[in-house]
Amino acid sequence: MNILLVDDDPEIQFLTKFVLEQTGEFDVTGVESIDKAKVMLTEMVFEGILLDVMLPDGSGIDMYEEIQDNPEIDVPPVVFLTGKDAGEIFQKIRSLGAAGFIQKPFNPANLAEQVRSILRPD
């Protein structure tokens, strides 16, 4: 499963990529900004996006709304990553059609299963 990871924290990027790719079922491309993510989404096809809510160049929620309105981007399921209280944003991301969210800090031992259960609920 080809995943786009959008998170500005290099440690989160490294850990997420390492944990998911070691399963053999995920290929993770990491970027640290909304601008880079939008470029990647026009150049490659992804089967899922892990999207941080708070990024240096804006809100992941705003980015999600923007790419949904862009006919040039086939938006895959989005899983938000957030260190904020999930209750604050849960209703907002659900109303936008996001696949789900993962609370940070996450447990690396459970991350692949969390991502799998959200992106492939079958």
Side-chain angles (χ1 to χ4, degrees):
M1 177 177 266
N2 195 16
I3 302 288
L4 177 63
L5 169 62
V6 187
D7 197 304
D8 61 308
D9 184 327
E11 291 177 12
I12 296 286
Q13 272 205 34
F14 174 82
L15 181 62
T16 302
K17 182 176 176 66
F18 176 79
V19 167
L20 294 179
E21 288 186 342
Q22 79 173 5
T23 68
E25 62 185 294
F26 297 100
D27 181 28
V28 180
T29 300
V31 295
E32 67 280 348
S33 70
I34 290 171
D35 289 338
K36 288 181 181 179
K38 290 191 284 189
V39 169
M40 292 301 296
L41 287 166
T42 60
E43 294 178 351
M44 295 177 63
V45 175
F46 294 94
E47 297 168 88
I49 300 173
L50 299 179
L51 179 57
D52 193 6
V53 171
M54 296 176 59
L55 293 156
D57 57 343
S59 160
I61 294 172
D62 292 343
M63 178 196 140
Y64 183 49
E65 290 179 297
E66 187 179 327
I67 63 174
Q68 285 180 311
D69 293 336
N70 186 337
E72 295 177 18
I73 297 174
D74 185 18
V75 182
V78 172
V79 178
F80 280 95
L81 303 173
T82 181
K84 297 183 74 161
D85 177 20
E88 289 181 28
I89 64 159
F90 181 74
Q91 293 301 329
K92 175 71 172 175
I93 64 174
R94 283 290 186 200
S95 71
L96 295 174
F101 73 93
I102 296 173
Q103 188 78 36
K104 292 194 292 186
F106 53 80
N107 181 343
N110 300 331
L111 182 62
E113 181 55 39
Q114 285 182 287
V115 172
R116 190 181 304 111
S117 69
I118 295 170
L119 294 179
R120 290 188 177 156
D122 304 322

